Amino acid sequence: MATATQEKQSAPSLLRFFVYNPKFGPREGEVVQNPTIEKPSKDGRPVIEYQEEELLDKVYSSVLQQCYRMYKLFNGTFVKTMENGGVAVLKERLEKFFHRYLQTLHLQSCDLLDIFGGISFFPLDKMTYLKIQSFINRMEESLSIVKYTTFLYNDQLIWSGLEQDDMRILYKYLTTSLFPRHIEPELAGRDSPIRAEMPGNLQHYGRFLTGPLTLNDPEAKFRFPKIFVNTEDTYEELHLIVYKAMSAVVCFMIEASVQPSPDFCRKLDCLVGPQLTVLASDICEQYNINRRISGSEKEPQFKFIYFNHMNLAEKSTIHLRKTPSISLTSVPPDLMKILGDINSDFTRWFSTSESVDEDEEIIVKAMSDYWIVGKKADQRELYVILNQKNANLIEVNEEVKKLCATQFSNIFFLD
């Protein structure tokens, strides 16, 4: 963080982000800098004035915390590394990890979702959910060395055996790093070929996303990435096995002291592949049925972001695509900035309020005539953007009530 000499004292704020690594070459130095303007001082000399309101400190503070959590997921805590190997080992691991990871950060694409760091959950009916739960129970029974399991469909979480904080950062890694690396080969038809390797000609589309590329190559390496979970308590080191069939992904985590053998991987492939393929097909069919029942509604006049602090659930109709390299939104950047400002106001009120359960609501009309509404109630936050330029405050409030009634009927929001 850099500082600048200014005529008047102001509250501490983020002025610059720096990346220091001599191997980065052109990327060395500033990554994000506050916009500045020059103003003449009393003696006529130009003085640089930072436009502090143009950058949201909370967004980049959240990104920095996320950097550490991602490092900790694959390397453990700083303290543990120091205890086991000293400063030299810690420096080596930091250099190795951040040399690659920092190059994936595109800070200009960061916004409100990076503050939340939430998880998108896949909507399911009860019967399909029970099928998935039954599948997980059978797999953990048959693959006895598996300690934790998570299940995702279409990049959305359905079930997890991990603690929330561990699942949050693992979900971030899976959806923004591991899964995107396999999208292009799948679209090109180079991956997930249908296979008939099972007795009884049971075909399946299953394959490993981590570990061996093929099970038939005698030279294949059966190594899986290691992750660290429960670092505040039991401090567990685990192998991460990620297996995919069609749009369904199941993650198996086993103790790092147990090395997955080629025979175990073949057993997993034969056991999980056919069942996961059938299950993925069932989920897709049920999802399409539910969509047909709900009908194809016309494009609503509002966009929203929802986040639940209790279970980390997030939902956005504003973001068309959100990856580390791009944040494609359906609203202008100035409106995203207002959403961040409202969130910052909620945070300030929360830190100064005597009651942590106090409800808040903010309504703003932008220069572009859009209406922006922020609601906070019962550890949930809702941000709505309405494209109703001629509406008044009462009409906007009524529209938001309708949205809450249709989209969040089982959730209490301030009236």
Side-chain angles (χ1 to χ4, degrees):
M1 186 176 291
T3 59
T5 303
Q6 295 176 295
E7 286 188 319
K8 61 179 181 178
Q9 295 293 323
S10 58
S13 64
L14 182 69
L15 300 183
R16 289 190 181 93
F17 252 97
F18 280 91
V19 171
Y20 177 72
N21 189 322
K23 297 180 181 178
F24 272 17
R27 288 184 60 94
E28 172 72 16
E30 295 175 8
V31 177
V32 168
Q33 178 179 334
N34 247 345
T36 60
I37 59 173
E38 284 191 1
K39 286 188 174 181
S41 62
K42 294 178 180 179
D43 58 7
R45 290 184 299 178
V47 175
I48 294 177
E49 184 175 298
Y50 287 92
Q51 305 295 291
E52 298 173 1
E53 69 280 356
E54 294 301 317
L55 282 182
L56 294 173
D57 293 6
K58 193 176 178 184
V59 170
Y60 299 110
S61 173
S62 300
V63 172
L64 287 174
Q65 294 175 49
Q66 175 193 298
C67 287
Y68 172 68
R69 286 195 292 265
M70 191 67 75
Y71 170 87
K72 187 173 68 170
L73 177 67
F74 291 102
N75 295 276
T77 62
F78 289 179
V79 172
K80 198 74 171 181
T81 303
M82 291 280 288
E83 290 175 354
N84 295 335
V87 176
V89 174
L90 177 60
K91 286 183 176 180
E92 181 182 341
R93 290 188 180 180
L94 288 169
E95 165 71 22
K96 183 178 180 180
F97 176 82
F98 282 106
H99 176 69
R100 297 176 60 185
Y101 184 70
L102 288 178
Q103 296 180 71
T104 69
L105 292 182
H106 296 264
L107 299 176
Q108 289 82 358
S109 299
C110 298
D111 55 33
L112 189 60
L113 289 190
D114 293 281
I115 295 177
F116 294 146
I119 297 172
S120 178
F121 288 88
F122 189 82
L124 272 181
D125 63 286
K126 291 182 180 179
M127 286 305 299
T128 308
Y129 182 82
L130 289 175
K131 285 183 181 180
I132 294 171
Q133 185 67 67
S134 176
F135 164 80
I136 292 172
N137 291 339
R138 292 196 307 272
M139 296 305 102
E140 291 184 344
E141 178 70 22
S142 301
L143 306 169
S144 57
I145 63 174
V146 171
K147 189 164 188 180
Y148 302 108
T149 307
T150 64
F151 192 102
L152 301 92
Y153 184 85
N154 202 26
D155 291 4
Q156 294 175 292
L157 184 64
I158 293 178
W159 195 91
S160 173
L162 291 173
E163 293 293 331
Q164 273 192 0
D165 285 342
D166 292 325
M167 188 61 236
R168 167 189 256 172
I169 194 64
L170 177 61
Y171 178 81
K172 181 78 174 179
Y173 163 69
L174 293 173
T175 57
T176 64
S177 181
L178 182 63
F179 294 168
R181 290 205 302 265
H182 295 270
I183 287 178
E184 288 188 10
E186 288 179 0
L187 293 177
R190 297 195 299 271
D191 282 340
S192 290
I194 194 165
R195 296 158 54 187
E197 302 173 359
M198 295 291 298
N201 198 33
L202 293 177
Q203 298 177 329
H204 71 86
Y205 288 90
R207 65 189 179 92
F208 289 92
L209 296 190
T210 61
L213 295 176
T214 175
L215 297 174
N216 300 321
D217 184 1
E219 302 296 324
K221 297 180 180 179
F222 291 81
R223 290 196 302 232
F224 296 89
K226 292 181 181 179
I227 61 172
F228 295 81
V229 301
N230 296 321
T231 53
E232 302 298 324
D233 186 16
T234 54
Y235 205 91
E236 298 174 84
E237 185 177 359
L238 308 166
H239 292 290
L240 175 63
I241 302 174
V242 184
Y243 191 88
K244 181 176 184 179
M246 300 167 70
S247 294
V249 174
V250 60
C251 302
F252 298 108
M253 284 147 274
I254 65 176
E255 292 281 1
S257 58
V258 180
Q259 183 62 40
S261 65
D263 288 340
F264 172 81
C265 293
R266 293 188 184 97
K267 178 183 177 182
L268 187 152
D269 183 59
C270 292
L271 181 68
V272 177
Q275 296 187 58
L276 188 60
T277 299
V278 173
L279 192 54
S281 180
D282 290 345
I283 296 172
C284 181
E285 182 180 356
Q286 188 61 48
Y287 178 68
N288 289 332
I289 290 174
N290 292 340
R291 288 189 64 183
R292 286 197 296 270
I293 293 174
S294 62
S296 56
E297 300 178 358
K298 64 179 182 179
E299 180 72 14
Q301 289 186 304
F302 54 79
K303 306 283 185 180
F304 69 86
I305 294 177
Y306 166 78
F307 180 67
N308 184 332
H309 288 270
M310 290 180 285
N311 63 1
L312 306 181
E314 73 177 18
K315 183 177 181 180
S316 173
T317 61
I318 290 175
H319 293 79
L320 305 175
R321 186 184 179 196
K322 185 79 170 76
T323 68
S325 60
I326 186 173
S327 180
L328 185 59
T329 62
S330 56
V331 300
D334 62 311
L335 300 186
M336 295 301 297
K337 170 70 169 52
I338 294 175
L339 295 181
D341 289 335
I342 293 176
N343 174 265
S344 297
D345 287 340
F346 284 160
T347 303
R348 280 194 293 270
W349 291 344
F350 178 81
S351 62
T352 58
S353 173
E354 295 181 359
S355 173
V356 296
D357 296 324
E358 187 173 341
D359 299 332
E360 303 291 349
E361 181 176 27
I362 297 177
I363 301 179
V364 177
K365 189 171 187 182
M367 296 291 290
S368 54
D369 286 336
Y370 281 87
W371 287 92
I372 300 97
V373 180
K375 282 177 169 284
K376 183 180 76 70
D378 196 24
Q379 297 191 56
R380 297 172 173 91
E381 295 183 36
L382 175 66
Y383 301 84
V384 184
I385 297 177
L386 295 108
N387 184 17
Q388 296 186 1
K389 298 182 179 181
N390 298 322
N392 57 40
L393 197 60
I394 296 175
E395 292 169 337
V396 168
N397 196 40
E398 287 300 318
E399 285 297 320
V400 174
K401 284 183 180 180
K402 291 179 184 177
L403 168 64
C404 292
T406 56
Q407 298 285 338
F408 309 101
S409 57
N410 59 338
I411 297 174
F412 169 76
F413 276 113
L414 179 67
D415 287 331

